[in-house]
Amino acid sequence: MLLHRVRGCFFLFEAVVVLFQIPPSLKHLKIHLSSRHCQTSESSLSEATFVNLSSPTCLSRTTAAPGAMADPWQRAYDFAVEVARKAGAEIRKAGESEIRVMTKSSTVDLVTKTDERVEKIIIDSLKEEFGNDTYGFIGEESVAKGIPCILTDKPTWIIDPVDGTTNFVHGFPFVAVSIAFAVKKRLEFGVVYSCLEDKMYKARRGKGAFCDDERIQVSDVKDIHKSIIISEHGTDRSPEKVTKIFSTMQRILCIPVHGLRGSGTAATNMCLVACGAVEAFFEIGIHCWDIAAGAVIVTEAGGMLLDVDGGPFDLMSRRMVSANNEVIANRIIKEIEIFPAERDDAVIKK
Ligand code: IPD
């Protein structure tokens, strides 16, 4: 049933939410838009660009000399793509049968048996391929069950098996598998499989970002008035926070910008920044597993990440602005009304 709705609808909120059916022509438009930013294929790259972490969880982009050392994590990267595809197939299959919904932190923070099963499939596959001991794992559902969310120097997989669980439950056609890999707290690669659209976004540090093997790049728009911005409502329904979220959205909309959007999955939102479909995505309340893979994809596509207060991006802080460039990022930051969100690693900091 879910699959029948895949070709479907688009989420637009400008105070109200409007659903559109995407006509076949729009599908071609999307393809055209991605190819507008498509420069070369993965195999024809000659120059490497690096994503560095100047602080443990902060990303920046520099250019490396040609012939720089080969990426030692190639096998892990290739395997992550394979596993994401397998997980996505599992999600599509599950969407055709009855979906059992449970809740986590609140009545709107949903989880399904599929989230749990798919996370197990991903982690078991990675352990089987690479062994049990060498790697750390941060998985959304494992953390929900009480496993601490600790990013150490150990090579660590950061996994969101079903990003966009609410979409999945409702048949809203954007759901992604997100797998990132960090070594010494530096993100090495990220894979986001938008499994209902069947689009595979991926990026390795220093090697560019790709969608289905075509290189992608952020938009070059610097004028905020010509931008589309993405944000989300998140899963916290306390009136004070919701008021700040809507107030921020109103302020940004009235700059004015061309539009506000939200796909319902943070990972996909970041890929939309990376391929130039929108200029920026920001949110307070997201988790590291929602954005780790997207963080590599955005920066490798030429974009940037900042904290919502304009400081350096921090993967564990649960707040982020990802944008095509600094001008757009800083203009949005001026309008964001910040509210507190407990860090992902808060438990170990206490
Ligand atoms: C959610 C999605 C959503 C974002 C929430 C996330 P989940 O992830 O990414 O877009 O607004 O903050 O929690 O729970 O579907 O994996």
Side-chain angles (χ1 to χ4, degrees), residues 104 108-111 115 140-141 160-168 176 231-236 262-269 281 283-287 289-291 318:
K104 293 196 286 186
V108 295
D109 189 6
L110 310 182
V111 63
D115 297 58
E140 175 170 17
E141 305 319 327
D160 190 345
V162 183
D163 187 48
T165 302
T166 306
N167 288 355
F168 173 65
S231 192
E232 299 278 348
H233 308 112
T235 51
D236 193 319
S263 74
T265 115
T268 303
N269 290 339
F281 161 53
E283 186 173 346
I284 299 175
I286 26 86
H287 294 276
W289 47 81
D290 298 316
I291 57 170
R318 301 193 55 205

Side-chain angles (χ1 to χ4, degrees), residues 46-339:
S46 57
E47 186 194 37
T49 48
F50 275 13
V51 176
N52 292 329
L53 294 178
S54 53
S55 72
T57 51
C58 163
L59 286 155
S60 65
R61 187 180 156 92
T62 58
T63 303
M69 199 183 81
D71 186 331
W73 302 111
Q74 179 67 38
R75 190 164 77 89
Y77 176 61
D78 291 341
F79 193 73
V81 173
E82 239 178 76
V83 171
R85 213 179 274 290
K86 182 164 109 180
E90 198 60 35
I91 294 168
R92 286 195 298 266
K93 203 166 85 193
E96 286 163 8
S97 48
E98 200 185 328
I99 300 168
R100 263 194 63 202
V101 188
M102 295 143 313
T103 58
K104 293 196 286 186
S105 62
S106 73
T107 54
V108 295
D109 189 6
L110 310 182
V111 63
T112 68
K113 283 281 162 209
T114 308
D115 297 58
E116 294 172 353
R117 199 177 66 253
V118 173
E119 181 161 315
K120 186 167 169 4
I121 290 171
I122 295 171
I123 292 180
D124 287 354
S125 306
L126 294 171
K127 284 185 174 167
E128 197 180 307
E129 183 73 12
F130 300 108
N132 237 333
D133 305 325
T134 325
Y135 298 91
F137 292 89
I138 293 176
E140 175 170 17
E141 305 319 327
S142 319
V143 172
K145 284 183 183 144
I147 295 179
C149 187
I150 308 168
L151 185 59
T152 64
D153 281 351
K154 206 172 173 177
T156 301
W157 297 94
I158 305 170
I159 300 157
D160 190 345
V162 183
D163 187 48
T165 302
T166 306
N167 288 355
F168 173 65
V169 166
H170 289 267
F172 193 85
F174 296 94
V175 177
V177 179
S178 175
I179 303 177
F181 185 68
V183 181
K184 294 198 165 93
K185 301 188 185 83
R186 178 167 74 176
L187 289 164
E188 289 290 335
F189 61 74
V191 174
V192 172
Y193 180 42
S194 181
C195 61
L196 303 183
E197 301 179 286
D198 189 21
K199 283 189 177 172
M200 181 68 75
Y201 295 93
K202 57 186 180 175
R204 272 166 67 200
R205 181 171 67 82
K207 304 282 184 183
F210 299 83
C211 176
D212 294 337
D213 294 332
E214 285 193 292
R215 193 159 185 186
I216 52 174
Q217 196 171 340
V218 294
S219 101
D220 58 8
V221 169
K222 285 204 173 111
D223 181 352
I224 192 78
H225 302 104
K226 295 183 176 152
S227 69
I228 293 185
I229 308 299
I230 290 184
S231 192
E232 299 278 348
H233 308 112
T235 51
D236 193 319
R237 295 292 181 268
S238 66
E240 312 78 58
K241 287 184 184 169
V242 172
T243 302
K244 288 200 171 192
I245 289 170
F246 275 97
S247 168
T248 298
M249 286 183 182
Q250 182 180 1
R251 290 164 64 136
I252 289 174
L253 194 60
C254 295
I255 289 176
V257 295
H258 277 180
L260 286 180
R261 300 287 187 272
S263 74
T265 115
T268 303
N269 290 339
M270 294 182 87
C271 294
L272 291 170
V273 175
C275 70
V278 303
E279 276 58 48
F281 161 53
F282 69 93
E283 186 173 346
I284 299 175
I286 26 86
H287 294 276
C288 59
W289 47 81
D290 298 316
I291 57 170
V296 191
I297 294 168
V298 166
T299 47
E300 284 300 318
M304 60 172 315
L305 304 165
L306 283 176
D307 185 67
V308 290
D309 67 3
F313 168 68
D314 177 341
L315 182 61
M316 292 293 165
S317 70
R318 301 193 55 205
R319 33 193 251 183
M320 175 217 57
V321 176
S322 54
N324 60 336
N325 58 51
E326 209 169 357
V327 179
I328 295 286
N330 286 327
R331 184 63 191 87
I332 293 166
I333 284 166
K334 269 169 109 177
E335 306 300 341
I336 297 177
E337 293 188 26
I338 298 175
F339 55 84

Side-chain angles (χ1 to χ4, degrees), residues 1-7 92-93 95-96 195-196:
M1 180 197 72
L2 187 56
L3 276 175
H4 293 147
R5 296 157 97 175
V6 167
R7 292 296 167 213
R92 286 195 298 266
K93 203 166 85 193
E96 286 163 8
C195 61
L196 303 183

